[in-house]
Amino acid sequence: MIYNDNNDRFQHWLRKKGLSSSSVSKYASQSHNRILKDLGVSFYELDSVEQLNKLLLDVRKLEKLMEKDPRRMYSSAVSNYIKFQSETADFSNTLEDNKYEFRVEETLASWANKPEYNNSPRPRAKLIEGSATRYTRDAKVGADAITLSNYECQIDSFHKFFISRRTNKNYVEAHHLIPIVYQGIFEHGIDEVENIACLCPVCHSCIHYGVNHERVHLIDRLYNKFQTKLYTIGIEIKQKELLELYQAK
């Protein structure tokens, strides 16, 4: 039952993304069946994104051993399934986002002096206890990103709307350019300063809730600023791929 339900919902999700019938079949059936045959694992029966991430890494290794280049067909199927699980589970739930911004503000307020920034690689984010899809975020990393940006919006440094009563500085928010909900797609951690933009509340809200052409404009500007930074921590992502994570076109 789990297999059939997840298969049906995944196919529906793929069709809503605009994929053709042949592409839906390629990801939901052909790739799944080849992975099951070669690795003995059905991604429809895995319980958490972390299990899917492990499978994704195994599939990428498998693709390298194939005589005919599969052009990432099988790893793309698993990546898309991870996106499907992440988005449909709790992507629209902003409660944890609000808690995170509050923790970042509290961390900034507790720093009498800016601590020395530690740029050592951090472990991948862990799943929130009790969740199969949502990851933890370290408020200290968000606070680091804000202090390194001197409390200025990285879209426009003139965006200064009010002074925070906690920090007594320009109020800004920490935004993961690659949303943390998609940690499962990546081998390396994305809860890193190199993936966190310092944004004014208007730009931050626009990225989440604005009309598509305005969101795309802001995401494109941030991508151009952060692409090299992301590469330094082992994250390679194309502009089009990033926009797809935001469901923006």
Side-chain angles (χ1 to χ4, degrees), residues 100 117 122 125 137 141-142 145 148-149 154 173-183 186 188-199 222-223 225-233 235-237 242 245-246:
Y100 171 70
Y117 169 56
R122 294 163 36 80
R137 287 168 288 185
V141 180
L148 288 169
S149 300
Q154 289 183 285
E173 297 174 343
H175 171 72
H176 287 71
L177 182 57
I178 300 173
I180 195 70
V181 72
Y182 295 117
Q183 172 65 83
F186 299 95
H188 301 287
I190 58 175
D191 187 27
E192 300 274 5
V193 165
E194 290 82 0
N195 183 45
I196 298 178
C198 177
L199 299 176
L222 291 176
Y223 177 82
K225 285 188 175 184
F226 279 77
Q227 182 184 17
T228 301
K229 296 179 184 180
L230 290 170
Y231 186 79
T232 64
I233 58 171
I235 304 295
E236 294 186 54
I237 185 168
L242 180 62
L245 298 183
Y246 285 88

Side-chain angles (χ1 to χ4, degrees), residues 9-232:
R9 292 191 300 121
F10 184 41
Q11 289 192 51
H12 177 69
W13 181 85
L14 290 169
R15 285 193 291 269
K16 283 183 65 177
K17 292 289 183 182
L19 272 68
S20 65
S21 296
S22 61
S23 293
V24 171
S25 176
K26 181 175 70 175
Y27 288 140
S29 299
Q30 296 172 31
S31 294
H32 169 270
N33 294 341
R34 176 66 186 269
I35 293 168
L36 179 61
K37 176 178 178 292
D38 287 2
L39 298 179
V41 179
S42 166
F43 54 68
Y44 292 126
E45 296 181 352
L46 297 182
D47 294 329
S48 76
V49 173
E50 278 301 275
Q51 292 174 325
L52 288 166
N53 175 259
K54 182 180 182 305
L55 176 62
L56 177 60
L57 298 180
D58 290 340
V59 170
R60 285 172 176 164
K61 293 176 183 177
L62 177 65
E63 286 176 325
K64 292 179 180 179
L65 299 175
M66 292 180 177
E67 292 184 7
K68 293 183 178 179
D69 181 7
R71 296 185 182 276
R72 300 195 302 170
M73 169 178 166
Y74 305 107
S75 57
S76 291
V78 180
S79 292
N80 273 294
Y81 190 71
I82 291 174
K83 294 175 188 176
F84 153 71
Q85 289 286 21
S86 300
E87 289 178 18
T88 56
D90 54 6
F91 184 69
S92 62
N93 181 4
T94 60
L95 180 60
E96 183 60 32
D97 297 333
N98 293 334
K99 289 180 179 178
Y100 171 70
E101 296 300 346
F102 179 82
R103 293 196 303 269
V104 171
E105 276 271 286
E106 291 293 287
T107 301
L108 288 167
S110 70
W111 288 351
N113 297 301
K114 178 182 177 298
E116 184 178 345
Y117 169 56
N118 182 357
N119 63 353
S120 301
R122 294 163 36 80
R124 294 174 75 254
K126 296 181 179 180
L127 288 169
I128 293 174
E129 187 175 353
S131 172
T133 59
R134 202 164 183 88
Y135 289 87
T136 59
R137 287 168 288 185
D138 189 340
K140 291 182 180 178
V141 180
D144 267 333
I146 287 175
T147 54
L148 288 169
S149 300
N150 198 30
Y151 292 80
E152 292 182 347
C153 176
Q154 289 183 285
I155 293 293
D156 189 331
S157 61
F158 289 100
H159 286 181
K160 301 182 184 210
F161 294 99
F162 63 91
I163 301 300
S164 166
R165 70 171 182 268
R166 294 192 186 95
T167 65
N168 203 35
K169 295 182 183 293
N170 179 45
Y171 178 79
V172 285
E173 297 174 343
H175 171 72
H176 287 71
L177 182 57
I178 300 173
I180 195 70
V181 72
Y182 295 117
Q183 172 65 83
I185 302 173
F186 299 95
E187 179 178 359
H188 301 287
I190 58 175
D191 187 27
E192 300 274 5
V193 165
E194 290 82 0
N195 183 45
I196 298 178
C198 177
L199 299 176
C200 72
V202 174
C203 287
H204 196 185
S205 294
C206 181
I207 283 178
H208 286 293
Y209 310 117
V211 295
N212 260 348
H213 73 273
E214 293 184 357
R215 297 172 68 218
V216 168
H217 174 66
L218 298 184
I219 296 166
D220 282 348
R221 289 186 63 178
L222 291 176
Y223 177 82
N224 290 331
K225 285 188 175 184
F226 279 77
Q227 182 184 17
T228 301
K229 296 179 184 180
L230 290 170
Y231 186 79
T232 64

